[in-house]
């Protein structure tokens, strides 16, 4: 927006028509035409100087514009248009108190010019003062408008940066949850294959290594899906996959209730939360039975993961923190109890 205004800055020079008009209806000498032309070219040069300067660097070109307007006034009373530009840039470049001082100084210059040099133009001071005041106010308003636009741009950039940070945190949490679960499976398969090799059960070890490779491939696919922000299997497929992992680790699995249909946002969060809860069971539970249940009540849709293991304490690690952050984004929270361990949350119906 601001760059566009800079490219169109020549449009505002149309107001100099009031300075150029006397060229055509007053008989000037060739030397006077020359001086007025030189003054016009110099003024336009200062105008673009101001336009390309930061507000803190506008003082010199503004003073030169005021000087050119003052010097040329005895020849061409249309210089009041030049004073209007000076007033505008004062309002644009400085705060309101400085603007008042600058405008007061311009009005004093107009009074002196009117008293000593202007003849036959009784309205020079009146028109000049009105233009200086009115156009100066426009400068103040334009400064406020541009400051507002710059604030909006900065806010948009800050929002973009925050969104980037949030997305990075999401990817970090998702990778932690997915890779924690996948690496646990890989470790289990590798340990089992090692034991089978030591017992010279080569066929069974070969089978475990094949399953380990399959887990690695699935992990790679899940990482790609996480980075791109979507899941292909859906909640039903993930529940089945997690149940298989639990059974392979020696747990009995009981899935109860009807798996709900969720929005893409809810489904992604629930899949990752469920993956982290199952990973915690695989890593920390001393039980052998796991129950994953889905239900619905007046508050919303409820999911619970429980097992018959006994825990004396629950440490607040990255996984649990990630679960709580995801649930907070869905206006929910995690509830749990120990011995036997049970983790439960409810998705509000309005989520």
């Amino acid at each position: 927006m601001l760059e566009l205004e800079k490219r169109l800055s020549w449009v505002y020079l149309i107001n100099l028509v009031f300075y150029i008009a006397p060229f055509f209806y007053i008989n000037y000498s060739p030397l006077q035409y020359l001086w007025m032309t030189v003054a016009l070219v110099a003024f336009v040069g200062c105008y673009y100087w101001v336009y390309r300067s930061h507000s803190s660097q506008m003082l010199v070109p503004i003073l030169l514009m005021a000087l050119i307007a003052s010097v040329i006034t005895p020849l061409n009373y249309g210089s009041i248009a030049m004073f209007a530009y000076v007033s505008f840039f004062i309002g644009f470049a400085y705060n309101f108190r400085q603007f008042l001082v600058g405008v007061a100084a311009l009005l004093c210059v107009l009074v002196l010019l009117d008293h000593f040099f202007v003849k036959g133009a009784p309205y020079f001071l009146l028109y000049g003062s009105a233009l200086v005041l009115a156009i100066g106010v426009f400068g103040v308003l334009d400064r406020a408008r541009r400051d507002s636009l710059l604030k909006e741009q900065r806010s948009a950039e800050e929002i973009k940066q925050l969104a980037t940070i949030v997305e990075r945190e999401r990817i970090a949490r998702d990778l932690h949850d997915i890779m924690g679960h996948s690496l646990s499976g890989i470790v289990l398969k590798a340990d089992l294959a090692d034991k089978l090799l030591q017992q010279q059960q080569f066929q069974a070890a070969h089978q475990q290594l094949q399953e380990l490779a399959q887990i690695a491939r699935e992990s790679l696919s899940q990482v790609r899906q996480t980075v791109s922000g979507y899941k292909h299997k859906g909640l039903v497929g993930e529940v089945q996959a997690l149940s298989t992992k639990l059974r392979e680790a020696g747990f009995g699995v009981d899935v109860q209730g009807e798996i709900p249909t969720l929005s893409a946002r809810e489904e992604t969060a629930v899949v990752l939360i469920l993956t982290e809860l199952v990973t915690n069971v695989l890593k920390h539970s001393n039980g052998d039975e796991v129950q994953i249940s889905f239900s619905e009540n007046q508050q919303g849709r409820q999911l619970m993961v429980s097992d018959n293991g006994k825990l004396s304490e629950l440490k607040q690690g990255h996984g649990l923190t990630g679960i709580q952050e995801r649930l907070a984004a869905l206006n929910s929270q995690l509830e749990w109890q120990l011995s036997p361990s049970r983790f439960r949350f409810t998705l509000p119906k309005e989520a």
Side-chain angles (χ1 to χ4, degrees), residues 177-187 215 218-219 222 275 279:
D177 294 347
I178 290 172
M179 295 310 296
H181 165 70
S182 299
L183 291 175
S184 296
I186 290 172
V187 170
I215 293 174
E218 290 178 356
S219 299
Q222 287 179 325
T275 299
T279 300

Side-chain angles (χ1 to χ4, degrees), residues 195-203:
K195 291 177 181 179
L196 291 172
L197 287 172
Q198 291 177 7
Q199 298 171 6
Q200 296 186 350
Q201 300 181 29
F202 300 113
Q203 185 62 33

Side-chain angles (χ1 to χ4, degrees), residues 284-301:
H284 305 298
S285 177
N286 53 15
D288 58 6
E289 293 288 338
V290 177
Q291 184 182 87
I292 302 174
S293 64
F294 299 89
S295 61
E296 187 169 351
N297 53 34
Q298 293 181 347
Q299 284 72 39
R301 291 152 296 186

Side-chain angles (χ1 to χ4, degrees), residues 4 63 97 117-118 130 166 177 202 210 249 275 291 306 345:
L4 178 61
L63 289 176
R97 179 177 297 179
F117 299 103
V118 177
V166 170
D177 294 347
F202 300 113
Q210 285 183 325
T275 299
Q291 184 182 87
S306 60
F345 63 89

Side-chain angles (χ1 to χ4, degrees), residues 15-242:
N15 293 314
L16 286 175
V17 67
F18 297 103
Y19 176 82
I20 298 173
F23 282 49
F24 302 98
Y25 64 82
I26 296 178
N27 293 323
Y28 291 107
S29 67
L31 184 59
Q32 289 174 328
Y33 276 117
L34 176 61
W35 280 117
M36 289 189 297
T37 302
V38 170
L40 178 62
V41 171
F43 185 87
V44 171
C46 291
Y47 169 84
Y48 278 106
W49 183 2
V50 173
Y51 236 102
R52 290 178 171 84
S53 300
H54 187 269
S55 59
S56 61
Q57 301 172 331
M58 289 184 179
L59 179 60
V60 173
I62 288 175
L63 289 176
L64 288 176
M65 291 172 71
L67 179 62
I68 293 169
S70 300
V71 170
I72 206 64
T73 294
L75 286 178
N76 187 338
Y77 302 154
S79 60
I80 57 174
M82 293 180 171
F83 284 107
Y85 285 98
V86 174
S87 178
F88 176 88
F89 285 125
I90 291 174
F92 179 82
Y94 301 104
N95 61 44
F96 190 69
R97 179 177 297 179
Q98 292 170 326
F99 163 72
L100 292 178
V101 174
V103 167
L106 280 182
L107 292 177
C108 290
V109 171
L110 290 177
V111 169
L112 293 174
L113 290 172
D114 181 72
H115 180 74
F116 291 104
F117 299 103
V118 177
K119 298 178 181 179
Y123 300 109
F124 173 84
L125 182 59
L126 178 62
Y127 289 157
S129 300
L131 277 174
V132 164
L133 291 173
I135 303 301
V137 170
F138 280 123
V140 173
L141 295 176
D142 197 51
R143 175 189 177 88
R145 180 182 65 85
R146 295 198 185 190
D147 287 345
S148 177
L149 287 175
L150 289 173
K151 288 180 181 178
E152 290 178 4
Q153 290 178 356
R154 285 194 293 268
S155 297
E157 291 174 357
E158 290 173 357
I159 291 172
K160 185 177 179 180
Q161 291 176 351
L162 289 175
T164 301
I165 293 173
V166 170
E167 181 64 9
R168 287 173 179 171
E169 291 177 348
R170 180 194 71 80
I171 292 174
R173 288 196 305 266
D174 294 357
L175 289 176
H176 171 271
D177 294 347
I178 290 172
M179 295 310 296
H181 165 70
S182 299
L183 291 175
S184 296
I186 290 172
V187 170
L188 290 172
K189 290 293 180 182
D191 288 343
L192 182 55
D194 182 59
K195 291 177 181 179
L196 291 172
L197 287 172
Q198 291 177 7
Q199 298 171 6
Q200 296 186 350
Q201 300 181 29
F202 300 113
Q203 185 62 33
H206 177 69
Q207 177 65 29
Q208 294 300 320
L209 290 173
Q210 285 183 325
E211 293 178 3
L212 187 152
Q214 180 61 30
I215 293 174
R217 284 192 290 270
E218 290 178 356
S219 299
L220 178 59
S221 175
Q222 287 179 325
V223 168
R224 289 171 177 168
Q225 293 168 15
T226 299
V227 172
S228 58
Y230 60 85
K231 304 288 180 219
H232 285 300
K233 288 184 178 180
L235 183 56
V236 174
E238 292 295 337
V239 170
Q240 293 174 349
L242 292 172

